[in-house]
Structure formats: structure tokens, C-alpha cells
Amino acid sequence: MTSAVDHVRTTLTAHGHVGGITELPAPAPTAAAAAELLDCPVGAVANSLVFEADGAPLLIVASGGHRVDLKKAAAHVGVSKVRRATPEFVLEATGQQVGGVAPVGHPAPLRTLVDTALADHDQVWAGGGVPHAMFRTTFAELLSLTGGEAVAVGA
């Protein structure tokens, strides 16, 4: 696997995560693709989505079961506008390519919102740094790993 996965693995290990990273047989750039490969509900896939919030990176770890309400996210973080970041912006902020972004393993901490809809699942799957790697976790562990805020972000 790549160095992005190594950064994710190192971060997970440093936080006591023992589940490791699962290498998938094919890339899973969408929640639906990941759910099919992992045989789990699409809502249990934790999409790590990077947005630009008035010029600063904002990571939203959202349930694959719905879209993010950008106006709701902007109001929560107190900015005038939240918009989808460019692939270049995502790479600079996370060190990871779009389609495989993990909620951890970034060059510097990102302000993070974790979707409360993920709490509906005993286990969730999050990106491992590349499109063909994921790790199993829980809503509570995602909050701990990311230092994120629990927020209802669904549209």
C-alpha cells in the first residue's frame, strides 16, 4: 500500500485502534461501491469529504446514506459559505487523493464534523487513505480519532 495508508495506519495505532486497515479487492471511491464490497449498509460507510469553508479546509465525515447539507454545515461552523473543495485543495489539506480520503493521517489537524447518523450503526467503515483501503471503527471512536464535533449534517 502507499504512504498515505502508512500515515493513516500510524495515526490509528497511536490512538490505540487495533482493527487495522482492510485492503479491498477493487477501488471503492463511493459509499455505494464500498458498501457492496464490504457487505454493509451504505449508511455505515463514513465518507471523509473535504470542503472549503471561507478558504479553510473543513472535513465532514458523513454517512454514505445521505448528502451533506452545506448551508447547515456553514451555519454550524460560523462561516458564510461551505463549498466542495477542488482535488488539489483536498490533496494539499490531507495528503490524500479524492476518492480515498481517510478521516485521519493528515499533515495537520483539520476541523472535523462527524455525522450523527453514523451513530445508528454498531460499526462503520472509513477510508484508509486510498480508494481500495478502509478501516472498521465506531461513531465514538471516529469522534475520538478526529477530535471532531458530532453534528447532524444530512440534507
Side-chain angles (χ1 to χ4, degrees), residues 1-56:
M1 291 197 205
T2 70
S3 64
V5 174
D6 293 335
H7 289 296
V8 173
R9 183 179 290 112
T10 298
T11 303
L12 291 174
T13 301
H15 283 87
H17 178 81
V18 295
I21 295 176
T22 300
E23 189 169 356
L24 302 174
T30 66
E36 186 174 328
L37 288 167
L38 295 164
D39 192 28
C40 73
V42 71
V45 175
N47 286 328
S48 294
L49 306 169
V50 178
F51 295 91
E52 192 174 337
D54 283 353

Side-chain angles (χ1 to χ4, degrees), residues 57 86-96 106-108 110:
T86 65
E88 296 80 17
F89 187 91
V90 173
L91 181 60
E92 184 177 328
T94 67
Q96 302 164 11
H106 312 136
L110 301 177

Side-chain angles (χ1 to χ4, degrees), residues 45-103:
V45 175
N47 286 328
S48 294
L49 306 169
V50 178
F51 295 91
E52 192 174 337
D54 283 353
L58 174 67
L59 175 64
I60 300 179
V61 183
S63 167
H66 57 245
R67 298 182 63 84
V68 173
D69 182 328
L70 297 181
K71 288 182 182 178
K72 192 185 295 185
H76 181 81
V77 298
V79 298
S80 61
K81 187 173 186 175
V82 170
R83 64 185 175 113
R84 179 78 61 158
T86 65
E88 296 80 17
F89 187 91
V90 173
L91 181 60
E92 184 177 328
T94 67
Q96 302 164 11
Q97 300 281 341
V98 170
V101 174

